[in-house]
Amino acid sequence: MPSQNKKTISAVETTLDILAALGKLEPIGLSDLASHLDIPTSTVFIHLNTLVQRDYVVKESGQYRRSFRFLELGGSVRQRLDIGRLLRNKVEELSRETGEIAGAGIEENGQRVILYRSSGGKAAGDEIPIGNHTEMHWTSLGKVILAHLPVEKRNEIVANHGLPKGTDNTLSSRSDLAAALERIRDQGYAIDDEEHLRGVRGVAVPIFNDEQEVMVSLGITGPRDRFTSRYMANLLEILRYTKNEIEVRSQYYEYSTIDG
């Protein structure tokens, strides 16, 4: 009889094979993936559809890739970012320099996802974990990305997620959001004025690639009483300097070659 500890579930093995292949080939279409794995297309489709429904795989324009949900399990998916190590280091530097909570976010499936986060010596505020997903219009990290996405993408996000309120300060009408996003594009930064959590304010800037497409956002958050307009203006100057350094240095990073 076969050893009990060698028994496996073939369906789970297939799912893991698919995820491993995605890690090497993504983004990739259904037929190409099935051909690479030598598995019937119908079987691969069922597994992929399950993963899509559970938010572990994302389907865009007929191609599949792993989602940032894997950050919640271990963070390895961050290795897909070409500026991963640089971004992590800069988040840590920001927290040390300012003493506050620094973080980086990205958009996925119409939500803001926390990629990196670091707390400085005087940090106070939220305890949001790495991999946290929340509404784009609730935070400075989310709003500054949302403002720089293509119009069609912004409209799709609002249509799919609506504008639920996090606090009484949350932007909850399309007209108010549109006006706020226009201001963000004009001024180059976003502010969270207790729109996600009571007593917490923040400021964030977008990070662009060399094609002027927003990749991620970089921000600093802290308690309302300390985060006065003058204080946040000082933080904004630090963020802008860091943003410029990341955008310049990221040109020398090759996609998918940086360890998270």
Side-chain angles (χ1 to χ4, degrees):
M1 293 181 62
S3 173
Q4 291 291 326
N5 61 10
K6 291 185 178 180
K7 287 186 176 181
T8 61
I9 300 173
S10 61
V12 175
E13 287 189 331
T14 299
T15 296
L16 294 175
D17 287 342
I18 289 171
L19 289 172
L22 285 175
K24 298 176 181 178
L25 305 172
E26 63 189 8
I28 187 172
L30 173 62
S31 297
D32 289 340
L33 182 58
S35 177
H36 173 81
L37 292 167
D38 195 23
I39 296 174
T41 301
S42 58
T43 300
V44 176
F45 173 78
I46 292 172
H47 285 265
L48 285 173
N49 193 50
T50 301
L51 290 166
V52 168
Q53 293 301 315
R54 297 297 297 269
D55 291 333
Y56 286 99
V57 166
V58 175
K59 181 182 180 182
E60 293 176 337
S61 302
Q63 296 202 315
Y64 296 85
R65 63 174 174 82
R66 295 169 301 168
S67 86
F68 282 95
R69 283 290 180 190
F70 284 96
L71 282 175
E72 298 174 350
L73 302 178
S76 65
V77 76
R78 287 182 298 185
Q79 295 174 7
R80 189 165 70 234
L81 290 174
D82 55 343
I83 60 171
R85 181 185 298 162
L86 173 61
L87 189 62
R88 181 192 64 195
N89 290 342
K90 289 303 174 183
V91 166
E92 293 174 351
E93 285 180 15
L94 279 173
S95 68
R96 288 195 299 268
E97 181 178 357
T98 66
E100 305 290 358
I101 297 172
I106 196 168
E107 180 273 328
E108 183 173 80
N109 287 330
Q111 292 190 305
R112 185 276 283 133
V113 184
I114 293 293
L115 286 173
Y116 296 99
R117 201 166 183 277
S118 181
S119 296
K122 60 181 180 181
D126 58 86
E127 296 294 334
I128 296 173
I130 299 296
N132 173 263
H133 288 59
T134 198
E135 305 298 338
M136 295 289 288
H137 67 292
W138 282 5
T139 69
S140 55
L141 286 175
K143 286 192 295 183
V144 82
I145 294 177
L146 188 62
H148 292 90
L149 291 175
V151 175
E152 297 79 8
K153 181 69 172 179
R154 294 202 304 268
N155 291 340
E156 178 185 351
I157 289 173
V158 173
N160 290 340
H161 292 267
L163 296 173
K165 293 177 72 70
T167 71
D168 291 340
N169 287 1
T170 305
L171 296 169
S172 57
S173 76
R174 293 197 179 202
S175 60
D176 288 345
L177 178 64
L181 296 182
E182 183 175 0
R183 286 195 300 272
I184 290 168
R185 288 190 293 274
D186 289 341
Q187 64 196 18
Y189 65 90
I191 288 176
D192 170 5
D193 189 11
E194 300 184 78
E195 296 162 62
H196 181 204
L197 297 170
R198 294 180 185 278
V200 177
R201 303 187 79 198
V203 58
V205 295
I207 307 295
F208 297 102
N209 60 22
D210 55 6
E211 296 178 352
Q212 288 303 296
E213 298 170 332
V214 63
M215 296 185 293
V216 297
S217 56
L218 186 69
I220 301 173
T221 61
R224 173 190 58 205
D225 293 344
R226 185 160 65 240
F227 272 54
T228 62
S229 296
R230 177 176 294 183
Y231 184 63
M232 287 202 292
N234 293 334
L235 294 177
L236 179 59
E237 289 305 307
I238 297 172
L239 281 170
R240 282 172 165 161
Y241 180 86
T242 305
K243 159 191 166 69
N244 181 66
E245 185 177 3
I246 291 173
E247 289 176 343
V248 170
R249 291 181 62 186
S250 69
Q251 298 178 28
Y252 300 97
Y253 282 76
E254 194 171 333
Y255 190 74
S256 295
T257 62
I258 300 301
D259 290 332

